[in-house]
Amino acid sequence: MRAARTARVVAAVSLVVAMVGCSSESNAGSVIEPSSAPSSAKPTPPALSPEAGQHDTVGAAAFTEYWFSVLSYGVQTGDVDLLRKASDGKCSECTAAIGVIQDNYNDGGSLQGGVYTVREANTIEDFAGQVMTVAVSYDRSPRSGTSPLGQPRGRLDGKSFADCDIRVLWNGKSWVVRGIDAADQLI
């Protein structure tokens, strides 16, 4: 699982670097801007790892990492089907995230940036194997929106080492995100 996590982090970092571009000048302390040029490479939908299907603490943590990957995928593509399937209908934070994505894409607009990289996901509470709380540390690249006519609309600064608690629910066959407790704006 560690090798898979490392591969995802490397892929996410590579994507962020490709989106932001490189400069020969030092950018220490500067704000990283998302790329305004659309990418010709279409992201592929994330796949659920075998660990994420396990009905245990390891499965809860792996599923939470998967949820963040489908959140990133939704932000990059406007496709919220996987995010909706991975989220419980009673999760107000999940519904809000889906709404932000749909609001930006439904009229022909788009989002740039907003890629999430999970640094660490550890199950910290187990309520009879049905509901678990996963403590997550993550990074989010800066995100901005663009109208169908190319006009900027909305911006969310990047965040490093952000923390949140994700409650996941075992619905009898798989995990779904039931709720999110975060001090900082998630999406």
Side-chain angles (χ1 to χ4, degrees):
M1 186 167 152
R2 186 175 294 289
R5 183 179 300 151
T6 302
R8 285 192 300 268
V9 169
V10 168
V13 170
S14 297
L15 179 60
V16 170
V17 169
M19 289 172 53
V20 208
C22 296
S23 170
S24 60
E25 299 176 20
S26 170
N27 60 2
S30 65
V31 175
I32 301 172
E33 296 293 329
S35 171
S36 60
S39 171
S40 60
K42 184 172 171 117
T44 58
L48 192 64
S49 71
E51 293 89 4
Q54 294 175 198
H55 183 198
D56 58 17
T57 57
V58 171
F63 177 80
T64 299
E65 291 183 40
Y66 169 75
W67 187 87
F68 273 93
S69 67
V70 298
L71 175 60
S72 288
Y73 178 74
V75 169
Q76 294 169 357
T77 65
D79 181 352
V80 294
D81 289 342
L82 291 174
L83 184 58
R84 189 174 281 119
K85 288 177 187 172
S87 303
D88 185 81
K90 295 178 183 174
C91 175
S92 59
E93 299 84 1
C94 302
T95 302
I98 290 167
V100 166
I101 295 167
Q102 288 179 322
D103 288 349
N104 279 279
Y105 281 92
N106 282 350
D107 67 354
S110 63
L111 293 169
Q112 298 78 41
V115 175
Y116 295 78
T117 303
V118 173
R119 290 180 172 271
E120 192 170 10
N122 295 305
T123 304
I124 57 171
E125 294 178 317
D126 180 350
F127 299 100
Q130 298 307 309
V131 177
M132 296 193 190
T133 302
V134 180
V136 180
S137 175
Y138 67 92
D139 296 339
R140 181 193 61 234
S141 67
R143 187 197 77 216
S144 62
T146 306
S147 76
L149 299 175
Q151 298 298 315
R153 63 176 178 197
R155 172 174 174 70
L156 182 62
D157 290 335
K159 190 80 174 165
S160 293
F161 295 100
D163 295 312
C164 67
D165 289 340
I166 305 287
R167 282 180 312 288
V168 294
L169 169 72
W170 183 257
N171 66 14
K173 57 184 177 197
S174 64
W175 294 106
V176 292
V177 171
R178 182 65 179 265
I180 302 168
D181 293 323
D184 297 312
Q185 182 178 355
L186 185 67
I187 183 165

